[in-house]
Amino acid sequence: MASSSPATGLGPSVPRVVDERVTKKVALAALVGTALEWYDFFLFTTAAALVFNAQYFVSADPFVAAMSSFATLAVGFVARPIGGFIFGALGDKVGRKKILMITIVGIGVVTGLIGLLPNYMTIGVAAPIILVALRILQGLAVGGEWSGAVIIAVENAPVAKRARYAALPQIGSPIGTILSSGGFFGMLYLVGQTNFDAWGWRIPFIAAIPLLAVSMWIRSRLSESPEFEALMESGETEHAPIRGVLTKSWRQILVGGCSALLGIGGFYLITSFVVFYGTKVLKMPYETLLLGSLLAAVFEIFVLIWAGRMGEKYGASKVILWGGIASAAVAVPVFLAIDTANPVLVILAMIVGVCTLSIPYAVSGTALTSLFATKVRYTGVAITSNSAGVISGFVPLIATALVAASGNSFWPGAIILLVVSVLTALSGIFLPALSIEEEGMKH
């Protein structure tokens, strides 16, 4: 029987010598997969704000149509924990690589089908029903994707550099945003508003199919986690990972979920909700809001790289704490700037809002993987991250409802961002006591 490893907290020992060429290849494959994941997911998010309310949820009241559209967005997040349970448990039983191949196929195929789905005017009530069903399937696949990608990157990395490599899959988020917002922005520019609303929005969804082929080829070259292989060889894999995590690690789930809340929920608030608020309430052009999302994502890449290095140097919990504080500090100024409807100020506000909330997001993979032993890590991270995702999925819906109730005021958005930022900052205080590994993998 293998001995317990100080590197993983609980579980068999793994080789201490790590080939960083393999580490970089695995991290790249994880990054490509998460980029496709977020591209597909953000396409739906942006489309929910721009076109789904008119294509699938027909109503004379734009707020009712928008809330129906955002409710469909939220359904995908409700499905994510179920996918987390299913794929997380399988990932702890049969391996990280096999599950990551399944989830990436599920996400890409469903996204392509959404692009081909007839609208309400063509097939009636069947259109929104099918859209919801596809969104559920997408949510199930996403529920196992991000957690598996982060875990396989972390478990293939040197312990001292795990924060650095755990930040790489996070870059898939801004890349997905750039591709999705850029796709919509490009189609608007090429075909015009009328054609975009009629059919142009479908092209970025259909483009997910060739992107899937590239992702599958890259991901097929992944190396399985050496920590999981050691578990398999020693026969120490967990037979009931879900039960073990829920009964023994509920504190980790609670605190870890709060640590991930800002990076997910705050992001959807600054992108999806702001796109709706800007176009419907402030009467700004689509292009301006999409450009804001696009530029914010470009700046986010550099923030994620920098914050990942800070996590390596100072520890993930400190980065989460101070990132949450920074986001709380700019919450009201960001929405004050957005409410001016000045294009320059709105774009700057979106950039500042996304960059500050991305500081804790950069190290959330490091923080979550350090909370769970290797044999239940996939299950634990999937349940935790997707629990935060459920709450996050309702953020645009809640913000839209509160804005309507407040007479189109921007204050609900600012207050929600402030509350979420404070919750994430507080989690940074409690994370070190719950981690089974050296906190944040710092030197």
Side-chain angles (χ1 to χ4, degrees), residues 146 150 162-164 166-167 170 259 303-304 306-312 315-321 358-370 431 439-440:
W146 178 85
V150 170
R162 284 188 169 182
R164 177 184 305 190
Q170 305 299 71
S259 73
V303 173
L304 290 172
W306 169 77
R309 295 295 179 91
M310 292 300 99
E312 181 182 321
S317 63
K318 287 187 175 65
V319 174
I320 289 171
L321 170 62
S358 296
I359 295 172
Y361 181 68
V363 296
S364 63
T366 313
L368 295 187
T369 53
S370 71
L431 278 169
E439 186 271 309

PDB file of all heavy atoms in Angstrom, residues 146 150 162-164 166-167 170 259 303-304 306-312 315-321 358-370 431 439-440:
ATOM      1  N   TRP A 146     -15.237  22.424 -16.195  1.00  0.00           N
ATOM      2  CA  TRP A 146     -14.254  23.329 -15.599  1.00  0.00           C
ATOM      3  C   TRP A 146     -13.486  22.661 -14.468  1.00  0.00           C
ATOM      4  O   TRP A 146     -12.262  22.755 -14.387  1.00  0.00           O
ATOM      5  CB  TRP A 146     -14.957  24.590 -15.079  1.00  0.00           C
ATOM      6  CG  TRP A 146     -13.999  25.532 -14.402  1.00  0.00           C
ATOM      7  CD1 TRP A 146     -13.217  26.480 -14.987  1.00  0.00           C
ATOM      8  CD2 TRP A 146     -13.684  25.580 -12.994  1.00  0.00           C
ATOM      9  NE1 TRP A 146     -12.440  27.134 -14.041  1.00  0.00           N
ATOM     10  CE2 TRP A 146     -12.710  26.592 -12.810  1.00  0.00           C
ATOM     11  CE3 TRP A 146     -14.147  24.871 -11.883  1.00  0.00           C
ATOM     12  CZ2 TRP A 146     -12.190  26.907 -11.562  1.00  0.00           C
ATOM     13  CZ3 TRP A 146     -13.622  25.187 -10.638  1.00  0.00           C
ATOM     14  CH2 TRP A 146     -12.657  26.199 -10.484  1.00  0.00           C
ATOM     15  N   VAL A 150      -9.352  22.151 -14.427  1.00  0.00           N
ATOM     16  CA  VAL A 150      -8.489  22.742 -13.406  1.00  0.00           C
ATOM     17  C   VAL A 150      -7.744  21.657 -12.637  1.00  0.00           C
ATOM     18  O   VAL A 150      -6.538  21.773 -12.373  1.00  0.00           O
ATOM     19  CB  VAL A 150      -9.311  23.617 -12.445  1.00  0.00           C
ATOM     20  CG1 VAL A 150      -8.470  24.028 -11.242  1.00  0.00           C
ATOM     21  CG2 VAL A 150      -9.820  24.858 -13.166  1.00  0.00           C
ATOM     22  N   ARG A 162       1.640  25.377  -8.611  1.00  0.00           N
ATOM     23  CA  ARG A 162       0.264  25.013  -8.942  1.00  0.00           C
ATOM     24  C   ARG A 162      -0.629  26.232  -9.143  1.00  0.00           C
ATOM     25  O   ARG A 162      -1.525  26.213  -9.980  1.00  0.00           O
ATOM     26  CB  ARG A 162      -0.305  24.096  -7.852  1.00  0.00           C
ATOM     27  CG  ARG A 162       0.245  22.682  -7.964  1.00  0.00           C
ATOM     28  CD  ARG A 162      -0.443  21.723  -7.015  1.00  0.00           C
ATOM     29  NE  ARG A 162      -0.063  20.349  -7.344  1.00  0.00           N
ATOM     30  CZ  ARG A 162      -0.533  19.270  -6.711  1.00  0.00           C
ATOM     31  NH1 ARG A 162      -1.390  19.422  -5.724  1.00  0.00           N
ATOM     32  NH2 ARG A 162      -0.152  18.080  -7.077  1.00  0.00           N
ATOM     33  N   ALA A 163      -0.414  27.281  -8.394  1.00  0.00           N
ATOM     34  CA  ALA A 163      -1.234  28.487  -8.576  1.00  0.00           C
ATOM     35  C   ALA A 163      -1.047  29.047  -9.979  1.00  0.00           C
ATOM     36  O   ALA A 163      -2.000  29.539 -10.595  1.00  0.00           O
ATOM     37  CB  ALA A 163      -0.878  29.535  -7.525  1.00  0.00           C
ATOM     38  N   ARG A 164       0.180  28.997 -10.478  1.00  0.00           N
ATOM     39  CA  ARG A 164       0.461  29.500 -11.820  1.00  0.00           C
ATOM     40  C   ARG A 164      -0.295  28.698 -12.881  1.00  0.00           C
ATOM     41  O   ARG A 164      -0.961  29.266 -13.755  1.00  0.00           O
ATOM     42  CB  ARG A 164       1.965  29.439 -12.097  1.00  0.00           C
ATOM     43  CG  ARG A 164       2.347  29.879 -13.490  1.00  0.00           C
ATOM     44  CD  ARG A 164       3.838  29.713 -13.744  1.00  0.00           C
ATOM     45  NE  ARG A 164       4.663  30.407 -12.751  1.00  0.00           N
ATOM     46  CZ  ARG A 164       5.964  30.567 -12.853  1.00  0.00           C
ATOM     47  NH1 ARG A 164       6.613  30.066 -13.898  1.00  0.00           N
ATOM     48  NH2 ARG A 164       6.640  31.191 -11.918  1.00  0.00           N
ATOM     49  N   ALA A 166      -2.809  26.587 -12.387  1.00  0.00           N
ATOM     50  CA  ALA A 166      -4.248  26.589 -12.151  1.00  0.00           C
ATOM     51  C   ALA A 166      -4.904  27.827 -12.733  1.00  0.00           C
ATOM     52  O   ALA A 166      -6.108  27.827 -13.023  1.00  0.00           O
ATOM     53  CB  ALA A 166      -4.547  26.502 -10.654  1.00  0.00           C
ATOM     54  N   ALA A 167      -4.132  28.913 -12.902  1.00  0.00           N
ATOM     55  CA  ALA A 167      -4.673  30.142 -13.482  1.00  0.00           C
ATOM     56  C   ALA A 167      -4.844  30.032 -14.992  1.00  0.00           C
ATOM     57  O   ALA A 167      -5.655  30.758 -15.573  1.00  0.00           O
ATOM     58  CB  ALA A 167      -3.776  31.327 -13.143  1.00  0.00           C
ATOM     59  N   GLN A 170      -8.260  29.278 -16.295  1.00  0.00           N
ATOM     60  CA  GLN A 170      -9.132  30.427 -16.066  1.00  0.00           C
ATOM     61  C   GLN A 170      -9.093  31.402 -17.238  1.00  0.00           C
ATOM     62  O   GLN A 170     -10.050  32.143 -17.473  1.00  0.00           O
ATOM     63  CB  GLN A 170      -8.718  31.170 -14.787  1.00  0.00           C
ATOM     64  CG  GLN A 170      -8.658  30.309 -13.536  1.00  0.00           C
ATOM     65  CD  GLN A 170      -9.989  29.705 -13.183  1.00  0.00           C
ATOM     66  OE1 GLN A 170     -10.479  28.819 -13.858  1.00  0.00           O
ATOM     67  NE2 GLN A 170     -10.593  30.213 -12.124  1.00  0.00           N
ATOM     68  N   SER A 259     -15.945  31.631  -2.271  1.00  0.00           N
ATOM     69  CA  SER A 259     -14.710  32.117  -2.897  1.00  0.00           C
ATOM     70  C   SER A 259     -14.844  32.200  -4.417  1.00  0.00           C
ATOM     71  O   SER A 259     -14.201  33.028  -5.062  1.00  0.00           O
ATOM     72  CB  SER A 259     -13.525  31.215  -2.525  1.00  0.00           C
ATOM     73  OG  SER A 259     -13.592  29.971  -3.207  1.00  0.00           O
ATOM     74  N   VAL A 303      -4.800  40.292 -16.169  1.00  0.00           N
ATOM     75  CA  VAL A 303      -5.084  40.261 -14.732  1.00  0.00           C
ATOM     76  C   VAL A 303      -4.996  38.834 -14.209  1.00  0.00           C
ATOM     77  O   VAL A 303      -4.451  38.583 -13.123  1.00  0.00           O
ATOM     78  CB  VAL A 303      -6.474  40.863 -14.440  1.00  0.00           C
ATOM     79  CG1 VAL A 303      -6.843  40.669 -12.968  1.00  0.00           C
ATOM     80  CG2 VAL A 303      -6.490  42.348 -14.781  1.00  0.00           C
ATOM     81  N   LEU A 304      -5.531  37.879 -14.955  1.00  0.00           N
ATOM     82  CA  LEU A 304      -5.500  36.478 -14.524  1.00  0.00           C
ATOM     83  C   LEU A 304      -4.070  35.959 -14.414  1.00  0.00           C
ATOM     84  O   LEU A 304      -3.725  35.244 -13.466  1.00  0.00           O
ATOM     85  CB  LEU A 304      -6.306  35.615 -15.496  1.00  0.00           C
ATOM     86  CG  LEU A 304      -7.824  35.814 -15.480  1.00  0.00           C
ATOM     87  CD1 LEU A 304      -8.473  35.035 -16.614  1.00  0.00           C
ATOM     88  CD2 LEU A 304      -8.415  35.380 -14.138  1.00  0.00           C
ATOM     89  N   TRP A 306      -1.338  37.776 -13.923  1.00  0.00           N
ATOM     90  CA  TRP A 306      -0.716  38.469 -12.787  1.00  0.00           C
ATOM     91  C   TRP A 306      -1.217  37.923 -11.456  1.00  0.00           C
ATOM     92  O   TRP A 306      -0.421  37.639 -10.544  1.00  0.00           O
ATOM     93  CB  TRP A 306      -1.006  39.964 -12.890  1.00  0.00           C
ATOM     94  CG  TRP A 306      -0.631  40.720 -11.653  1.00  0.00           C
ATOM     95  CD1 TRP A 306       0.624  41.085 -11.256  1.00  0.00           C
ATOM     96  CD2 TRP A 306      -1.524  41.185 -10.628  1.00  0.00           C
ATOM     97  NE1 TRP A 306       0.570  41.761 -10.049  1.00  0.00           N
ATOM     98  CE2 TRP A 306      -0.732  41.836  -9.644  1.00  0.00           C
ATOM     99  CE3 TRP A 306      -2.903  41.128 -10.454  1.00  0.00           C
ATOM    100  CZ2 TRP A 306      -1.296  42.403  -8.505  1.00  0.00           C
ATOM    101  CZ3 TRP A 306      -3.469  41.695  -9.321  1.00  0.00           C
ATOM    102  CH2 TRP A 306      -2.670  42.323  -8.356  1.00  0.00           C
ATOM    103  N   ALA A 307      -2.542  37.767 -11.318  1.00  0.00           N
ATOM    104  CA  ALA A 307      -3.101  37.282 -10.051  1.00  0.00           C
ATOM    105  C   ALA A 307      -2.695  35.845  -9.775  1.00  0.00           C
ATOM    106  O   ALA A 307      -2.512  35.455  -8.622  1.00  0.00           O
ATOM    107  CB  ALA A 307      -4.625  37.416 -10.065  1.00  0.00           C
ATOM    108  N   GLY A 308      -2.525  35.044 -10.835  1.00  0.00           N
ATOM    109  CA  GLY A 308      -2.034  33.681 -10.638  1.00  0.00           C
ATOM    110  C   GLY A 308      -0.635  33.672 -10.052  1.00  0.00           C
ATOM    111  O   GLY A 308      -0.323  32.881  -9.160  1.00  0.00           O
ATOM    112  N   ARG A 309       0.219  34.588 -10.521  1.00  0.00           N
ATOM    113  CA  ARG A 309       1.568  34.695  -9.963  1.00  0.00           C
ATOM    114  C   ARG A 309       1.517  35.190  -8.522  1.00  0.00           C
ATOM    115  O   ARG A 309       2.320  34.762  -7.675  1.00  0.00           O
ATOM    116  CB  ARG A 309       2.409  35.652 -10.814  1.00  0.00           C
ATOM    117  CG  ARG A 309       2.665  35.146 -12.229  1.00  0.00           C
ATOM    118  CD  ARG A 309       3.497  33.889 -12.238  1.00  0.00           C
ATOM    119  NE  ARG A 309       3.728  33.383 -13.578  1.00  0.00           N
ATOM    120  CZ  ARG A 309       4.769  33.705 -14.345  1.00  0.00           C
ATOM    121  NH1 ARG A 309       5.674  34.567 -13.890  1.00  0.00           N
ATOM    122  NH2 ARG A 309       4.912  33.187 -15.540  1.00  0.00           N
ATOM    123  N   MET A 310       0.581  36.088  -8.219  1.00  0.00           N
ATOM    124  CA  MET A 310       0.431  36.557  -6.844  1.00  0.00           C
ATOM    125  C   MET A 310      -0.027  35.410  -5.934  1.00  0.00           C
ATOM    126  O   MET A 310       0.404  35.317  -4.774  1.00  0.00           O
ATOM    127  CB  MET A 310      -0.575  37.708  -6.773  1.00  0.00           C
ATOM    128  CG  MET A 310      -0.126  39.005  -7.436  1.00  0.00           C
ATOM    129  SD  MET A 310       1.402  39.700  -6.737  1.00  0.00           S
ATOM    130  CE  MET A 310       2.616  39.119  -7.947  1.00  0.00           C
ATOM    131  N   GLY A 311      -0.877  34.538  -6.452  1.00  0.00           N
ATOM    132  CA  GLY A 311      -1.300  33.383  -5.675  1.00  0.00           C
ATOM    133  C   GLY A 311      -0.152  32.448  -5.393  1.00  0.00           C
ATOM    134  O   GLY A 311      -0.043  31.869  -4.304  1.00  0.00           O
ATOM    135  N   GLU A 312       0.742  32.314  -6.361  1.00  0.00           N
ATOM    136  CA  GLU A 312       1.934  31.488  -6.186  1.00  0.00           C
ATOM    137  C   GLU A 312       2.860  32.077  -5.127  1.00  0.00           C
ATOM    138  O   GLU A 312       3.491  31.349  -4.359  1.00  0.00           O
ATOM    139  CB  GLU A 312       2.651  31.390  -7.536  1.00  0.00           C
ATOM    140  CG  GLU A 312       3.902  30.539  -7.544  1.00  0.00           C
ATOM    141  CD  GLU A 312       4.550  30.543  -8.910  1.00  0.00           C
ATOM    142  OE1 GLU A 312       3.831  30.499  -9.920  1.00  0.00           O
ATOM    143  OE2 GLU A 312       5.785  30.608  -8.968  1.00  0.00           O
ATOM    144  N   GLY A 315      -0.146  33.150  -1.722  1.00  0.00           N
ATOM    145  CA  GLY A 315      -1.196  32.237  -1.312  1.00  0.00           C
ATOM    146  C   GLY A 315      -2.541  32.646  -1.889  1.00  0.00           C
ATOM    147  O   GLY A 315      -2.852  33.838  -1.992  1.00  0.00           O
ATOM    148  N   ALA A 316      -3.345  31.662  -2.251  1.00  0.00           N
ATOM    149  CA  ALA A 316      -4.626  31.929  -2.902  1.00  0.00           C
ATOM    150  C   ALA A 316      -5.578  32.703  -2.006  1.00  0.00           C
ATOM    151  O   ALA A 316      -6.304  33.592  -2.463  1.00  0.00           O
ATOM    152  CB  ALA A 316      -5.274  30.606  -3.341  1.00  0.00           C
ATOM    153  N   SER A 317      -5.603  32.385  -0.713  1.00  0.00           N
ATOM    154  CA  SER A 317      -6.582  33.012   0.170  1.00  0.00           C
ATOM    155  C   SER A 317      -6.368  34.520   0.280  1.00  0.00           C
ATOM    156  O   SER A 317      -7.330  35.294   0.324  1.00  0.00           O
ATOM    157  CB  SER A 317      -6.536  32.373   1.560  1.00  0.00           C
ATOM    158  OG  SER A 317      -5.277  32.576   2.168  1.00  0.00           O
ATOM    159  N   LYS A 318      -5.110  34.964   0.302  1.00  0.00           N
ATOM    160  CA  LYS A 318      -4.838  36.408   0.372  1.00  0.00           C
ATOM    161  C   LYS A 318      -5.288  37.112  -0.905  1.00  0.00           C
ATOM    162  O   LYS A 318      -5.818  38.230  -0.865  1.00  0.00           O
ATOM    163  CB  LYS A 318      -3.355  36.655   0.634  1.00  0.00           C
ATOM    164  CG  LYS A 318      -2.898  36.333   2.053  1.00  0.00           C
ATOM    165  CD  LYS A 318      -1.456  36.761   2.259  1.00  0.00           C
ATOM    166  CE  LYS A 318      -1.011  36.565   3.709  1.00  0.00           C
ATOM    167  NZ  LYS A 318      -0.992  35.144   4.097  1.00  0.00           N
ATOM    168  N   VAL A 319      -5.059  36.465  -2.040  1.00  0.00           N
ATOM    169  CA  VAL A 319      -5.489  37.049  -3.316  1.00  0.00           C
ATOM    170  C   VAL A 319      -7.012  37.143  -3.364  1.00  0.00           C
ATOM    171  O   VAL A 319      -7.572  38.136  -3.833  1.00  0.00           O
ATOM    172  CB  VAL A 319      -4.951  36.219  -4.496  1.00  0.00           C
ATOM    173  CG1 VAL A 319      -5.511  36.734  -5.818  1.00  0.00           C
ATOM    174  CG2 VAL A 319      -3.425  36.259  -4.526  1.00  0.00           C
ATOM    175  N   ILE A 320      -7.690  36.116  -2.873  1.00  0.00           N
ATOM    176  CA  ILE A 320      -9.153  36.125  -2.846  1.00  0.00           C
ATOM    177  C   ILE A 320      -9.666  37.220  -1.916  1.00  0.00           C
ATOM    178  O   ILE A 320     -10.607  37.954  -2.244  1.00  0.00           O
ATOM    179  CB  ILE A 320      -9.683  34.749  -2.431  1.00  0.00           C
ATOM    180  CG1 ILE A 320      -9.458  33.745  -3.568  1.00  0.00           C
ATOM    181  CG2 ILE A 320     -11.165  34.806  -2.051  1.00  0.00           C
ATOM    182  CD1 ILE A 320      -9.739  32.304  -3.202  1.00  0.00           C
ATOM    183  N   LEU A 321      -9.046  37.349  -0.756  1.00  0.00           N
ATOM    184  CA  LEU A 321      -9.458  38.379   0.204  1.00  0.00           C
ATOM    185  C   LEU A 321      -9.326  39.779  -0.391  1.00  0.00           C
ATOM    186  O   LEU A 321     -10.290  40.562  -0.407  1.00  0.00           O
ATOM    187  CB  LEU A 321      -8.607  38.265   1.474  1.00  0.00           C
ATOM    188  CG  LEU A 321      -8.745  39.404   2.488  1.00  0.00           C
ATOM    189  CD1 LEU A 321     -10.170  39.492   3.021  1.00  0.00           C
ATOM    190  CD2 LEU A 321      -7.750  39.218   3.637  1.00  0.00           C
ATOM    191  N   SER A 358     -11.889  39.550 -11.431  1.00  0.00           N
ATOM    192  CA  SER A 358     -11.064  38.459 -11.958  1.00  0.00           C
ATOM    193  C   SER A 358      -9.860  38.146 -11.070  1.00  0.00           C
ATOM    194  O   SER A 358      -9.221  37.104 -11.254  1.00  0.00           O
ATOM    195  CB  SER A 358     -10.572  38.803 -13.373  1.00  0.00           C
ATOM    196  OG  SER A 358     -11.661  38.914 -14.259  1.00  0.00           O
ATOM    197  N   ILE A 359      -9.544  39.031 -10.137  1.00  0.00           N
ATOM    198  CA  ILE A 359      -8.405  38.768  -9.243  1.00  0.00           C
ATOM    199  C   ILE A 359      -8.649  37.514  -8.406  1.00  0.00           C
ATOM    200  O   ILE A 359      -7.825  36.591  -8.418  1.00  0.00           O
ATOM    201  CB  ILE A 359      -8.117  40.002  -8.358  1.00  0.00           C
ATOM    202  CG1 ILE A 359      -7.665  41.178  -9.233  1.00  0.00           C
ATOM    203  CG2 ILE A 359      -7.052  39.677  -7.306  1.00  0.00           C
ATOM    204  CD1 ILE A 359      -7.551  42.491  -8.483  1.00  0.00           C
ATOM    205  N   PRO A 360      -9.769  37.403  -7.680  1.00  0.00           N
ATOM    206  CA  PRO A 360     -10.011  36.150  -6.961  1.00  0.00           C
ATOM    207  C   PRO A 360     -10.319  34.983  -7.888  1.00  0.00           C
ATOM    208  O   PRO A 360     -10.003  33.826  -7.564  1.00  0.00           O
ATOM    209  CB  PRO A 360     -11.211  36.482  -6.060  1.00  0.00           C
ATOM    210  CG  PRO A 360     -11.873  37.645  -6.686  1.00  0.00           C
ATOM    211  CD  PRO A 360     -10.776  38.434  -7.338  1.00  0.00           C
ATOM    212  N   TYR A 361     -10.890  35.264  -9.042  1.00  0.00           N
ATOM    213  CA  TYR A 361     -11.210  34.188  -9.986  1.00  0.00           C
ATOM    214  C   TYR A 361      -9.947  33.482 -10.463  1.00  0.00           C
ATOM    215  O   TYR A 361      -9.943  32.272 -10.679  1.00  0.00           O
ATOM    216  CB  TYR A 361     -11.972  34.765 -11.185  1.00  0.00           C
ATOM    217  CG  TYR A 361     -12.380  33.742 -12.210  1.00  0.00           C
ATOM    218  CD1 TYR A 361     -13.345  32.785 -11.922  1.00  0.00           C
ATOM    219  CD2 TYR A 361     -11.809  33.730 -13.480  1.00  0.00           C
ATOM    220  CE1 TYR A 361     -13.720  31.835 -12.859  1.00  0.00           C
ATOM    221  CE2 TYR A 361     -12.180  32.796 -14.432  1.00  0.00           C
ATOM    222  CZ  TYR A 361     -13.141  31.847 -14.121  1.00  0.00           C
ATOM    223  OH  TYR A 361     -13.511  30.913 -15.063  1.00  0.00           O
ATOM    224  N   ALA A 362      -8.856  34.218 -10.597  1.00  0.00           N
ATOM    225  CA  ALA A 362      -7.602  33.636 -11.085  1.00  0.00           C
ATOM    226  C   ALA A 362      -7.120  32.490 -10.219  1.00  0.00           C
ATOM    227  O   ALA A 362      -6.549  31.510 -10.710  1.00  0.00           O
ATOM    228  CB  ALA A 362      -6.528  34.722 -11.169  1.00  0.00           C
ATOM    229  N   VAL A 363      -7.341  32.586  -8.910  1.00  0.00           N
ATOM    230  CA  VAL A 363      -6.806  31.578  -7.987  1.00  0.00           C
ATOM    231  C   VAL A 363      -7.893  30.674  -7.412  1.00  0.00           C
ATOM    232  O   VAL A 363      -7.615  29.875  -6.522  1.00  0.00           O
ATOM    233  CB  VAL A 363      -6.037  32.261  -6.830  1.00  0.00           C
ATOM    234  CG1 VAL A 363      -4.817  32.991  -7.361  1.00  0.00           C
ATOM    235  CG2 VAL A 363      -6.948  33.208  -6.059  1.00  0.00           C
ATOM    236  N   SER A 364      -9.112  30.783  -7.919  1.00  0.00           N
ATOM    237  CA  SER A 364     -10.176  29.945  -7.368  1.00  0.00           C
ATOM    238  C   SER A 364      -9.917  28.467  -7.637  1.00  0.00           C
ATOM    239  O   SER A 364     -10.251  27.611  -6.810  1.00  0.00           O
ATOM    240  CB  SER A 364     -11.547  30.355  -7.931  1.00  0.00           C
ATOM    241  OG  SER A 364     -11.608  30.170  -9.330  1.00  0.00           O
ATOM    242  N   GLY A 365      -9.287  28.144  -8.765  1.00  0.00           N
ATOM    243  CA  GLY A 365      -8.954  26.752  -9.037  1.00  0.00           C
ATOM    244  C   GLY A 365      -7.958  26.207  -8.025  1.00  0.00           C
ATOM    245  O   GLY A 365      -8.091  25.081  -7.538  1.00  0.00           O
ATOM    246  N   THR A 366      -6.957  27.006  -7.688  1.00  0.00           N
ATOM    247  CA  THR A 366      -5.972  26.612  -6.674  1.00  0.00           C
ATOM    248  C   THR A 366      -6.641  26.425  -5.320  1.00  0.00           C
ATOM    249  O   THR A 366      -6.390  25.443  -4.614  1.00  0.00           O
ATOM    250  CB  THR A 366      -4.887  27.697  -6.534  1.00  0.00           C
ATOM    251  OG1 THR A 366      -4.441  28.069  -7.826  1.00  0.00           O
ATOM    252  CG2 THR A 366      -3.725  27.194  -5.719  1.00  0.00           C
ATOM    253  N   ALA A 367      -7.490  27.385  -4.966  1.00  0.00           N
ATOM    254  CA  ALA A 367      -8.152  27.321  -3.662  1.00  0.00           C
ATOM    255  C   ALA A 367      -9.055  26.099  -3.552  1.00  0.00           C
ATOM    256  O   ALA A 367      -9.023  25.381  -2.543  1.00  0.00           O
ATOM    257  CB  ALA A 367      -8.965  28.602  -3.440  1.00  0.00           C
ATOM    258  N   LEU A 368      -9.853  25.837  -4.575  1.00  0.00           N
ATOM    259  CA  LEU A 368     -10.815  24.733  -4.493  1.00  0.00           C
ATOM    260  C   LEU A 368     -10.121  23.375  -4.508  1.00  0.00           C
ATOM    261  O   LEU A 368     -10.519  22.466  -3.767  1.00  0.00           O
ATOM    262  CB  LEU A 368     -11.821  24.817  -5.644  1.00  0.00           C
ATOM    263  CG  LEU A 368     -12.743  26.040  -5.650  1.00  0.00           C
ATOM    264  CD1 LEU A 368     -13.806  25.897  -6.742  1.00  0.00           C
ATOM    265  CD2 LEU A 368     -13.411  26.247  -4.303  1.00  0.00           C
ATOM    266  N   THR A 369      -9.103  23.213  -5.338  1.00  0.00           N
ATOM    267  CA  THR A 369      -8.429  21.910  -5.380  1.00  0.00           C
ATOM    268  C   THR A 369      -7.692  21.615  -4.085  1.00  0.00           C
ATOM    269  O   THR A 369      -7.477  20.447  -3.739  1.00  0.00           O
ATOM    270  CB  THR A 369      -7.437  21.840  -6.558  1.00  0.00           C
ATOM    271  OG1 THR A 369      -6.537  22.959  -6.501  1.00  0.00           O
ATOM    272  CG2 THR A 369      -8.168  21.855  -7.885  1.00  0.00           C
ATOM    273  N   SER A 370      -7.290  22.662  -3.350  1.00  0.00           N
ATOM    274  CA  SER A 370      -6.581  22.444  -2.086  1.00  0.00           C
ATOM    275  C   SER A 370      -7.527  22.061  -0.944  1.00  0.00           C
ATOM    276  O   SER A 370      -7.071  21.688   0.134  1.00  0.00           O
ATOM    277  CB  SER A 370      -5.797  23.700  -1.691  1.00  0.00           C
ATOM    278  OG  SER A 370      -6.667  24.739  -1.281  1.00  0.00           O
ATOM    279  N   LEU A 431     -10.460  30.217   4.273  1.00  0.00           N
ATOM    280  CA  LEU A 431      -9.899  29.170   3.415  1.00  0.00           C
ATOM    281  C   LEU A 431      -8.679  28.453   3.996  1.00  0.00           C
ATOM    282  O   LEU A 431      -8.602  27.212   3.943  1.00  0.00           O
ATOM    283  CB  LEU A 431      -9.545  29.753   2.038  1.00  0.00           C
ATOM    284  CG  LEU A 431     -10.696  29.889   1.043  1.00  0.00           C
ATOM    285  CD1 LEU A 431     -10.269  30.724  -0.150  1.00  0.00           C
ATOM    286  CD2 LEU A 431     -11.176  28.516   0.586  1.00  0.00           C
ATOM    287  N   GLU A 439      -1.526  26.082   2.046  1.00  0.00           N
ATOM    288  CA  GLU A 439      -2.459  27.091   1.579  1.00  0.00           C
ATOM    289  C   GLU A 439      -1.914  27.856   0.374  1.00  0.00           C
ATOM    290  O   GLU A 439      -0.863  28.473   0.446  1.00  0.00           O
ATOM    291  CB  GLU A 439      -2.779  28.043   2.722  1.00  0.00           C
ATOM    292  CG  GLU A 439      -3.857  29.076   2.400  1.00  0.00           C
ATOM    293  CD  GLU A 439      -3.273  30.328   1.792  1.00  0.00           C
ATOM    294  OE1 GLU A 439      -2.329  30.887   2.368  1.00  0.00           O
ATOM    295  OE2 GLU A 439      -3.780  30.736   0.737  1.00  0.00           O
ATOM    296  N   GLY A 440      -2.700  27.750  -0.741  1.00  0.00           N
ATOM    297  CA  GLY A 440      -2.331  28.519  -1.919  1.00  0.00           C
ATOM    298  C   GLY A 440      -1.103  28.003  -2.645  1.00  0.00           C
ATOM    299  O   GLY A 440      -0.682  28.597  -3.608  1.00  0.00           O
TER     300      GLY A 440
END
